[in-house]
Amino acid sequence: MEYITFEHDSRAEQLIGQAYDTPPLAYVHSYGCQQNVNDGERIKGVLVDIGYGLCDKPEDADLILFNTCAVREHAEQRVFGNVGALKGLKEKKPGLIIGLCGCMANQAHVVEKLRKSYPYVDLVFGVDGIDTLPQLICRKLEQHKRVLLDPAQRPVIVENLPIRRESEFRAWLPIMYGCDNFCTYCIVPYVRGREKSRRPADILAEFRGLVEAGYKEITLLGQNVNSYGKGLEEQIDFADLLNLLCSVPGDYHIRFMTSHPKDASRKLIDTIAAQPRICKHLHLPVQCGSNRILQQMNRRYTVEQYLDLIEYARARVPGITFSSDIIVGFPGETEEDFCQTLELIQKVGYMQLFTFIYSKREGTKAALLPDPTPRKEKTDRMERLLKTQDAIAMELVKAQVGQTVRVLVEGYGRLEGTLSGRLDNNLTVEFAADPVLLGQYAQVKLTGARATVLLGELAG
Ligand code: SAH
Ligand code: SF4
Ligand code: F3S
């Protein structure tokens, strides 16, 4: 693994200055997970660094970049649809540069399709190419030819990329990239490449900068944060990293995602228990409640091991809440397998579930499995899952009423005059308050609930 430091590209800045009469504008749209959203923030940072302004509408832009997600077919179709819709814009404005980056750009068949069928797409680069963007734009401007890079993984971590964050009080902080787990349904290891950890000193420096800039919520990101530290010179695991970060003084809290259950250690749970700055909430995707399917998914834990972990966490961290991802309709999932999933979610009592119908991804192992279950049956299962979960969540949410809690005020509520805040346990509450509180902590008394959203009033 090589660690490199991004440096300002003054040649690119000069060239862009000469190519446009007024500073050009860039529109960057990110799809997919938080990791990708954070990449999008860095892409914007790099563009601003070489002289671009940012805009909110594709029509105003001189450069349009779609930072894409490949995790499900639907995500890919949306991107192709959105790229297709730009054809007219490009005809009206021939100087417009249209680019595609992110996870889809790391698939050879996607790049091929863009090359053949989308002639107005000028620029394609993968997830490891953000630091090379200034050179790619120069190439495009100087040679007037399409710059479509073939997918490649680089065993490098680029530090010091400029960044334009979307929020002034909540920040994403990647601690590692890639994934080595190869769950059989998942495309991520193929598009994001092998797991690589940032050095603790680099993470700490970025973390300190965020705390000093007043960020209240810092979410550590990785596809499997629990395997942080593999391959580093220093002996350090994820729990050690959390302890290191918590030693930074300031008014903030820490979240993290995602935790793979097979690597979530007792030490991690003990660290959550011991550190008041770590939120008492664990996103612990189980995917399915059937051991047979879990094995076929290559998840490498059993339902029993998973439940042991939940039990340990409940005993060590009073009030801890859980959320999870579930895939419905994995190839060969039977009614019985599915009922085991329903049983499991009832046993655990998740506050939130992120539910997905299985989507076949070419190149993954599961794509080779027979999948005889009709679509209709899968959507029926999904409905039953959502109904069961709604009932569970509503009970859990109601049980919170009566407490007074600290929340981070994140945005506006649905009713006029209300704001919305997030509890330590990841639930949201809406309450009447002055917008000056946005981005601040507030004490809120929980007075009721509407479905799975708490209602409250400012306390004290
Ligand atoms: N690394 C994280 C998140 C991966 S992607 C983890 O392991 O939990 C987020 C979620 O998308 C996964 O947890 C899974 O539930 C879902 N997912 C991934 N591939 C999928 C596929 N082919 N079809 C349906 N859902 C999928
Ligand atoms: Fe995909 Fe599994 Fe890696 Fe998560 S842990 S990104 S689901 S392969
Ligand atoms: Fe999608 Fe890539 Fe994230 S495939 S879920 S954007 S890692």
Short mmCIF file of all heavy atoms in Angstrom, two decimals, residues 345-392:
data_model
loop_
_atom_site.label_atom_id
_atom_site.label_comp_id
_atom_site.label_asym_id
_atom_site.label_seq_id
_atom_site.Cartn_x
_atom_site.Cartn_y
_atom_site.Cartn_z
N ILE A 345 -36.18 -10.81 13.25
CA ILE A 345 -36.35 -9.36 13.47
C ILE A 345 -37.25 -9.12 14.69
O ILE A 345 -37.10 -8.12 15.39
CB ILE A 345 -36.86 -8.59 12.22
CG1 ILE A 345 -38.27 -8.97 11.85
CG2 ILE A 345 -35.91 -8.73 11.04
CD1 ILE A 345 -38.93 -7.94 10.94
N GLN A 346 -38.14 -10.07 14.95
CA GLN A 346 -38.96 -9.91 16.16
C GLN A 346 -38.13 -10.14 17.43
O GLN A 346 -38.29 -9.44 18.42
CB GLN A 346 -40.16 -10.86 16.12
CG GLN A 346 -41.32 -10.21 15.39
CD GLN A 346 -42.33 -11.19 14.85
OE1 GLN A 346 -42.00 -12.30 14.46
NE2 GLN A 346 -43.57 -10.77 14.83
N LYS A 347 -37.25 -11.10 17.35
CA LYS A 347 -36.39 -11.39 18.51
C LYS A 347 -35.49 -10.20 18.82
O LYS A 347 -35.32 -9.83 19.98
CB LYS A 347 -35.49 -12.60 18.21
CG LYS A 347 -36.09 -13.90 18.71
CD LYS A 347 -35.07 -15.02 18.63
CE LYS A 347 -35.82 -16.34 18.60
NZ LYS A 347 -35.12 -17.39 17.87
N VAL A 348 -34.90 -9.61 17.80
CA VAL A 348 -33.94 -8.53 18.04
C VAL A 348 -34.67 -7.23 18.39
O VAL A 348 -34.29 -6.53 19.32
CB VAL A 348 -33.03 -8.28 16.80
CG1 VAL A 348 -32.11 -7.09 17.04
CG2 VAL A 348 -32.23 -9.52 16.48
N GLY A 349 -35.76 -6.93 17.67
CA GLY A 349 -36.44 -5.66 17.88
C GLY A 349 -35.61 -4.49 17.36
O GLY A 349 -35.11 -3.67 18.11
N TYR A 350 -35.46 -4.42 16.04
CA TYR A 350 -34.70 -3.32 15.44
C TYR A 350 -35.50 -2.04 15.46
O TYR A 350 -36.70 -2.04 15.22
CB TYR A 350 -34.36 -3.65 13.97
CG TYR A 350 -33.43 -4.81 13.79
CD1 TYR A 350 -33.91 -6.03 13.33
CD2 TYR A 350 -32.08 -4.68 14.07
CE1 TYR A 350 -33.06 -7.11 13.14
CE2 TYR A 350 -31.23 -5.75 13.89
CZ TYR A 350 -31.72 -6.96 13.42
OH TYR A 350 -30.87 -8.01 13.24
N MET A 351 -34.80 -0.93 15.67
CA MET A 351 -35.43 0.39 15.56
C MET A 351 -35.67 0.73 14.10
O MET A 351 -36.61 1.41 13.75
CB MET A 351 -34.52 1.46 16.16
CG MET A 351 -34.56 1.51 17.64
SD MET A 351 -36.11 2.24 18.20
CE MET A 351 -35.73 2.44 19.92
N GLN A 352 -34.73 0.29 13.23
CA GLN A 352 -34.84 0.60 11.80
C GLN A 352 -34.34 -0.57 10.99
O GLN A 352 -33.37 -1.23 11.37
CB GLN A 352 -33.96 1.78 11.41
CG GLN A 352 -34.50 3.10 11.78
CD GLN A 352 -33.36 4.05 12.10
OE1 GLN A 352 -32.33 3.65 12.65
NE2 GLN A 352 -33.56 5.30 11.78
N LEU A 353 -35.00 -0.77 9.83
CA LEU A 353 -34.51 -1.78 8.89
C LEU A 353 -34.37 -1.14 7.52
O LEU A 353 -35.23 -0.37 7.10
CB LEU A 353 -35.53 -2.91 8.75
CG LEU A 353 -35.54 -4.07 9.72
CD1 LEU A 353 -36.46 -5.15 9.16
CD2 LEU A 353 -34.15 -4.63 9.96
N PHE A 354 -33.31 -1.47 6.83
CA PHE A 354 -33.15 -1.07 5.44
C PHE A 354 -33.34 -2.35 4.63
O PHE A 354 -32.56 -3.30 4.79
CB PHE A 354 -31.79 -0.43 5.21
CG PHE A 354 -31.59 0.77 6.09
CD1 PHE A 354 -31.05 0.65 7.36
CD2 PHE A 354 -32.01 2.03 5.65
CE1 PHE A 354 -30.92 1.76 8.18
CE2 PHE A 354 -31.88 3.14 6.47
CZ PHE A 354 -31.34 3.01 7.74
N THR A 355 -34.39 -2.38 3.84
CA THR A 355 -34.79 -3.64 3.22
C THR A 355 -34.63 -3.58 1.71
O THR A 355 -34.94 -2.57 1.08
CB THR A 355 -36.27 -3.93 3.55
OG1 THR A 355 -37.03 -2.79 3.16
CG2 THR A 355 -36.46 -4.18 5.03
N PHE A 356 -34.14 -4.66 1.13
CA PHE A 356 -33.88 -4.69 -0.30
C PHE A 356 -34.35 -6.01 -0.88
O PHE A 356 -34.13 -7.07 -0.27
CB PHE A 356 -32.37 -4.56 -0.58
CG PHE A 356 -31.73 -3.43 0.17
CD1 PHE A 356 -31.03 -3.66 1.34
CD2 PHE A 356 -31.86 -2.12 -0.28
CE1 PHE A 356 -30.44 -2.61 2.04
CE2 PHE A 356 -31.28 -1.07 0.42
CZ PHE A 356 -30.57 -1.32 1.58
N ILE A 357 -34.95 -5.95 -2.06
CA ILE A 357 -35.21 -7.19 -2.78
C ILE A 357 -33.92 -7.55 -3.51
O ILE A 357 -33.27 -6.67 -4.08
CB ILE A 357 -36.39 -7.02 -3.76
CG1 ILE A 357 -37.68 -6.89 -2.94
CG2 ILE A 357 -36.47 -8.21 -4.74
CD1 ILE A 357 -38.95 -6.89 -3.75
N TYR A 358 -33.55 -8.81 -3.43
CA TYR A 358 -32.31 -9.27 -4.06
C TYR A 358 -32.23 -8.81 -5.52
O TYR A 358 -33.19 -8.94 -6.28
CB TYR A 358 -32.21 -10.79 -3.99
CG TYR A 358 -31.08 -11.34 -4.84
CD1 TYR A 358 -29.76 -11.21 -4.43
CD2 TYR A 358 -31.34 -11.94 -6.08
CE1 TYR A 358 -28.72 -11.67 -5.23
CE2 TYR A 358 -30.31 -12.40 -6.88
CZ TYR A 358 -28.99 -12.27 -6.45
OH TYR A 358 -27.97 -12.71 -7.23
N SER A 359 -31.08 -8.30 -5.88
CA SER A 359 -30.85 -7.85 -7.24
C SER A 359 -29.62 -8.58 -7.78
O SER A 359 -28.56 -8.57 -7.15
CB SER A 359 -30.63 -6.32 -7.21
OG SER A 359 -30.18 -5.86 -8.44
N LYS A 360 -29.81 -9.22 -8.93
CA LYS A 360 -28.71 -10.02 -9.48
C LYS A 360 -27.61 -9.13 -10.04
O LYS A 360 -27.87 -8.24 -10.85
CB LYS A 360 -29.30 -10.88 -10.60
CG LYS A 360 -28.34 -11.82 -11.24
CD LYS A 360 -29.12 -12.69 -12.22
CE LYS A 360 -28.20 -13.41 -13.15
NZ LYS A 360 -28.97 -14.27 -14.08
N ARG A 361 -26.37 -9.35 -9.61
CA ARG A 361 -25.23 -8.56 -10.08
C ARG A 361 -24.28 -9.46 -10.87
O ARG A 361 -23.70 -10.40 -10.29
CB ARG A 361 -24.48 -7.94 -8.89
CG ARG A 361 -25.32 -7.13 -7.93
CD ARG A 361 -25.66 -5.73 -8.42
NE ARG A 361 -26.47 -5.70 -9.62
CZ ARG A 361 -26.43 -4.72 -10.52
NH1 ARG A 361 -25.61 -3.73 -10.37
NH2 ARG A 361 -27.22 -4.75 -11.57
N GLU A 362 -24.12 -9.17 -12.13
CA GLU A 362 -23.22 -9.97 -12.97
C GLU A 362 -21.82 -10.00 -12.37
O GLU A 362 -21.32 -8.97 -11.92
CB GLU A 362 -23.14 -9.41 -14.39
CG GLU A 362 -24.30 -9.69 -15.31
CD GLU A 362 -24.82 -11.14 -15.30
OE1 GLU A 362 -23.99 -12.07 -15.13
OE2 GLU A 362 -26.04 -11.33 -15.48
N GLY A 363 -21.21 -11.17 -12.36
CA GLY A 363 -19.84 -11.26 -11.86
C GLY A 363 -19.78 -11.76 -10.42
O GLY A 363 -18.73 -12.17 -9.96
N THR A 364 -20.91 -11.70 -9.70
CA THR A 364 -20.92 -12.21 -8.32
C THR A 364 -21.28 -13.70 -8.34
O THR A 364 -21.87 -14.19 -9.31
CB THR A 364 -21.95 -11.47 -7.45
OG1 THR A 364 -23.26 -11.71 -7.98
CG2 THR A 364 -21.68 -9.97 -7.42
N LYS A 365 -20.94 -14.38 -7.23
CA LYS A 365 -21.22 -15.82 -7.18
C LYS A 365 -22.71 -16.13 -7.20
O LYS A 365 -23.16 -17.09 -7.82
CB LYS A 365 -20.60 -16.41 -5.91
CG LYS A 365 -19.14 -16.75 -6.07
CD LYS A 365 -18.74 -17.77 -5.03
CE LYS A 365 -17.29 -18.18 -5.27
NZ LYS A 365 -16.63 -18.56 -4.03
N ALA A 366 -23.49 -15.31 -6.50
CA ALA A 366 -24.93 -15.60 -6.40
C ALA A 366 -25.62 -15.49 -7.76
O ALA A 366 -26.68 -16.09 -7.97
CB ALA A 366 -25.59 -14.67 -5.39
N ALA A 367 -25.01 -14.74 -8.68
CA ALA A 367 -25.62 -14.59 -10.00
C ALA A 367 -25.70 -15.92 -10.73
O ALA A 367 -26.47 -16.09 -11.67
CB ALA A 367 -24.84 -13.57 -10.82
N LEU A 368 -24.90 -16.89 -10.28
CA LEU A 368 -24.89 -18.20 -10.93
C LEU A 368 -25.91 -19.16 -10.32
O LEU A 368 -26.14 -20.25 -10.84
CB LEU A 368 -23.49 -18.83 -10.81
CG LEU A 368 -22.33 -17.99 -11.37
CD1 LEU A 368 -20.99 -18.60 -11.01
CD2 LEU A 368 -22.48 -17.85 -12.89
N LEU A 369 -26.53 -18.75 -9.20
CA LEU A 369 -27.47 -19.67 -8.53
C LEU A 369 -28.84 -19.62 -9.19
O LEU A 369 -29.27 -18.56 -9.65
CB LEU A 369 -27.63 -19.26 -7.05
CG LEU A 369 -26.39 -19.35 -6.16
CD1 LEU A 369 -26.68 -18.74 -4.79
CD2 LEU A 369 -25.94 -20.79 -6.02
N PRO A 370 -29.52 -20.78 -9.23
CA PRO A 370 -30.89 -20.76 -9.74
C PRO A 370 -31.79 -19.92 -8.83
O PRO A 370 -31.63 -19.94 -7.61
CB PRO A 370 -31.32 -22.23 -9.72
CG PRO A 370 -30.32 -22.94 -8.87
CD PRO A 370 -29.08 -22.11 -8.82
N ASP A 371 -32.68 -19.18 -9.43
CA ASP A 371 -33.53 -18.26 -8.65
C ASP A 371 -34.98 -18.42 -9.09
O ASP A 371 -35.53 -17.58 -9.80
CB ASP A 371 -33.02 -16.82 -8.90
CG ASP A 371 -33.69 -15.80 -8.01
OD1 ASP A 371 -34.47 -16.20 -7.12
OD2 ASP A 371 -33.43 -14.60 -8.19
N PRO A 372 -35.62 -19.52 -8.66
CA PRO A 372 -36.93 -19.84 -9.19
C PRO A 372 -38.10 -19.06 -8.58
O PRO A 372 -39.20 -19.08 -9.13
CB PRO A 372 -37.09 -21.34 -8.84
CG PRO A 372 -36.22 -21.54 -7.63
CD PRO A 372 -35.14 -20.52 -7.68
N THR A 373 -37.87 -18.33 -7.49
CA THR A 373 -38.99 -17.66 -6.83
C THR A 373 -39.53 -16.52 -7.70
O THR A 373 -38.76 -15.64 -8.12
CB THR A 373 -38.54 -17.07 -5.47
OG1 THR A 373 -37.81 -18.08 -4.78
CG2 THR A 373 -39.72 -16.62 -4.63
N PRO A 374 -40.85 -16.54 -7.99
CA PRO A 374 -41.40 -15.47 -8.83
C PRO A 374 -41.29 -14.11 -8.14
O PRO A 374 -41.33 -14.01 -6.92
CB PRO A 374 -42.88 -15.85 -8.97
CG PRO A 374 -43.02 -17.22 -8.42
CD PRO A 374 -41.86 -17.51 -7.56
N ARG A 375 -41.16 -13.08 -8.96
CA ARG A 375 -41.03 -11.70 -8.47
C ARG A 375 -42.17 -11.34 -7.51
O ARG A 375 -41.97 -10.72 -6.48
CB ARG A 375 -41.04 -10.79 -9.69
CG ARG A 375 -40.91 -9.32 -9.42
CD ARG A 375 -39.46 -8.93 -9.27
NE ARG A 375 -39.36 -7.59 -8.66
CZ ARG A 375 -38.25 -7.06 -8.20
NH1 ARG A 375 -37.13 -7.74 -8.26
NH2 ARG A 375 -38.25 -5.86 -7.69
N LYS A 376 -43.38 -11.78 -7.89
CA LYS A 376 -44.56 -11.44 -7.09
C LYS A 376 -44.42 -11.97 -5.66
O LYS A 376 -44.78 -11.31 -4.68
CB LYS A 376 -45.80 -12.02 -7.79
CG LYS A 376 -47.09 -12.01 -7.01
CD LYS A 376 -47.78 -10.65 -7.11
CE LYS A 376 -49.15 -10.64 -6.45
NZ LYS A 376 -49.14 -10.74 -5.02
N GLU A 377 -43.87 -13.17 -5.55
CA GLU A 377 -43.70 -13.76 -4.23
C GLU A 377 -42.67 -12.94 -3.41
O GLU A 377 -42.83 -12.72 -2.22
CB GLU A 377 -43.23 -15.21 -4.36
CG GLU A 377 -43.48 -15.99 -3.10
CD GLU A 377 -43.47 -17.50 -3.35
OE1 GLU A 377 -43.91 -17.92 -4.45
OE2 GLU A 377 -43.02 -18.22 -2.46
N LYS A 378 -41.64 -12.48 -4.10
CA LYS A 378 -40.63 -11.68 -3.41
C LYS A 378 -41.23 -10.35 -2.93
O LYS A 378 -40.94 -9.90 -1.82
CB LYS A 378 -39.43 -11.41 -4.33
CG LYS A 378 -38.66 -12.67 -4.68
CD LYS A 378 -37.34 -12.35 -5.36
CE LYS A 378 -36.63 -13.63 -5.77
NZ LYS A 378 -35.27 -13.41 -6.26
N THR A 379 -42.04 -9.72 -3.78
CA THR A 379 -42.62 -8.44 -3.34
C THR A 379 -43.63 -8.67 -2.21
O THR A 379 -43.74 -7.84 -1.31
CB THR A 379 -43.26 -7.66 -4.51
OG1 THR A 379 -44.16 -8.54 -5.19
CG2 THR A 379 -42.24 -7.15 -5.49
N ASP A 380 -44.32 -9.80 -2.24
CA ASP A 380 -45.23 -10.12 -1.13
C ASP A 380 -44.46 -10.27 0.17
O ASP A 380 -44.85 -9.77 1.22
CB ASP A 380 -46.00 -11.42 -1.40
CG ASP A 380 -47.14 -11.21 -2.38
OD1 ASP A 380 -47.41 -10.03 -2.71
OD2 ASP A 380 -47.74 -12.21 -2.83
N ARG A 381 -43.33 -10.99 0.08
CA ARG A 381 -42.50 -11.17 1.29
C ARG A 381 -42.03 -9.81 1.81
O ARG A 381 -42.03 -9.56 3.01
CB ARG A 381 -41.29 -12.05 0.97
CG ARG A 381 -41.65 -13.52 0.89
CD ARG A 381 -40.43 -14.40 0.60
NE ARG A 381 -40.89 -15.71 0.15
CZ ARG A 381 -40.12 -16.61 -0.44
NH1 ARG A 381 -38.85 -16.36 -0.67
NH2 ARG A 381 -40.62 -17.78 -0.81
N MET A 382 -41.63 -8.98 0.88
CA MET A 382 -41.16 -7.64 1.28
C MET A 382 -42.26 -6.90 2.04
O MET A 382 -42.01 -6.31 3.10
CB MET A 382 -40.75 -6.86 0.03
CG MET A 382 -40.29 -5.46 0.30
SD MET A 382 -38.89 -5.42 1.41
CE MET A 382 -37.62 -4.90 0.31
N GLU A 383 -43.50 -6.97 1.53
CA GLU A 383 -44.60 -6.29 2.22
C GLU A 383 -44.82 -6.83 3.61
O GLU A 383 -45.04 -6.07 4.57
CB GLU A 383 -45.90 -6.45 1.41
CG GLU A 383 -46.11 -5.30 0.46
CD GLU A 383 -47.34 -5.50 -0.39
OE1 GLU A 383 -48.37 -5.96 0.16
OE2 GLU A 383 -47.26 -5.23 -1.60
N ARG A 384 -44.74 -8.14 3.73
CA ARG A 384 -44.92 -8.75 5.07
C ARG A 384 -43.80 -8.31 6.00
O ARG A 384 -44.03 -8.04 7.19
CB ARG A 384 -44.93 -10.28 4.94
CG ARG A 384 -46.24 -10.81 4.35
CD ARG A 384 -46.07 -12.19 3.75
NE ARG A 384 -45.73 -13.22 4.72
CZ ARG A 384 -45.18 -14.40 4.41
NH1 ARG A 384 -44.90 -14.69 3.14
NH2 ARG A 384 -44.93 -15.29 5.33
N LEU A 385 -42.60 -8.25 5.46
CA LEU A 385 -41.45 -7.83 6.28
C LEU A 385 -41.66 -6.39 6.79
O LEU A 385 -41.49 -6.10 7.97
CB LEU A 385 -40.17 -7.91 5.44
CG LEU A 385 -38.89 -7.43 6.10
CD1 LEU A 385 -38.50 -8.35 7.25
CD2 LEU A 385 -37.73 -7.38 5.09
N LEU A 386 -42.08 -5.50 5.87
CA LEU A 386 -42.24 -4.10 6.24
C LEU A 386 -43.35 -3.94 7.28
O LEU A 386 -43.22 -3.16 8.23
CB LEU A 386 -42.56 -3.26 5.00
CG LEU A 386 -41.41 -3.15 3.98
CD1 LEU A 386 -41.85 -2.38 2.75
CD2 LEU A 386 -40.18 -2.49 4.62
N LYS A 387 -44.41 -4.72 7.10
CA LYS A 387 -45.54 -4.63 8.05
C LYS A 387 -45.10 -5.09 9.44
O LYS A 387 -45.40 -4.44 10.45
CB LYS A 387 -46.68 -5.52 7.55
CG LYS A 387 -48.01 -4.81 7.53
CD LYS A 387 -49.05 -5.61 6.81
CE LYS A 387 -50.23 -5.85 7.73
NZ LYS A 387 -51.21 -6.76 7.13
N THR A 388 -44.38 -6.19 9.46
CA THR A 388 -43.90 -6.71 10.75
C THR A 388 -42.99 -5.68 11.41
O THR A 388 -43.11 -5.39 12.60
CB THR A 388 -43.12 -8.03 10.53
OG1 THR A 388 -43.92 -8.90 9.74
CG2 THR A 388 -42.80 -8.71 11.84
N GLN A 389 -42.08 -5.13 10.62
CA GLN A 389 -41.12 -4.17 11.17
C GLN A 389 -41.81 -2.91 11.67
O GLN A 389 -41.45 -2.38 12.72
CB GLN A 389 -40.05 -3.83 10.13
CG GLN A 389 -39.09 -2.73 10.54
CD GLN A 389 -38.36 -3.01 11.85
OE1 GLN A 389 -38.22 -4.16 12.25
NE2 GLN A 389 -37.93 -1.96 12.53
N ASP A 390 -42.80 -2.42 10.93
CA ASP A 390 -43.52 -1.21 11.36
C ASP A 390 -44.08 -1.38 12.75
O ASP A 390 -43.98 -0.50 13.60
CB ASP A 390 -44.68 -0.92 10.39
CG ASP A 390 -44.20 -0.05 9.25
OD1 ASP A 390 -43.03 0.37 9.29
OD2 ASP A 390 -45.00 0.20 8.32
N ALA A 391 -44.71 -2.54 12.97
CA ALA A 391 -45.33 -2.79 14.28
C ALA A 391 -44.25 -2.81 15.37
O ALA A 391 -44.43 -2.23 16.44
CB ALA A 391 -46.09 -4.11 14.24
N ILE A 392 -43.12 -3.46 15.08
CA ILE A 392 -42.03 -3.54 16.06
C ILE A 392 -41.52 -2.14 16.40
O ILE A 392 -41.40 -1.75 17.55
CB ILE A 392 -40.85 -4.38 15.50
CG1 ILE A 392 -41.28 -5.83 15.27
CG2 ILE A 392 -39.64 -4.31 16.43
CD1 ILE A 392 -40.27 -6.65 14.47
#
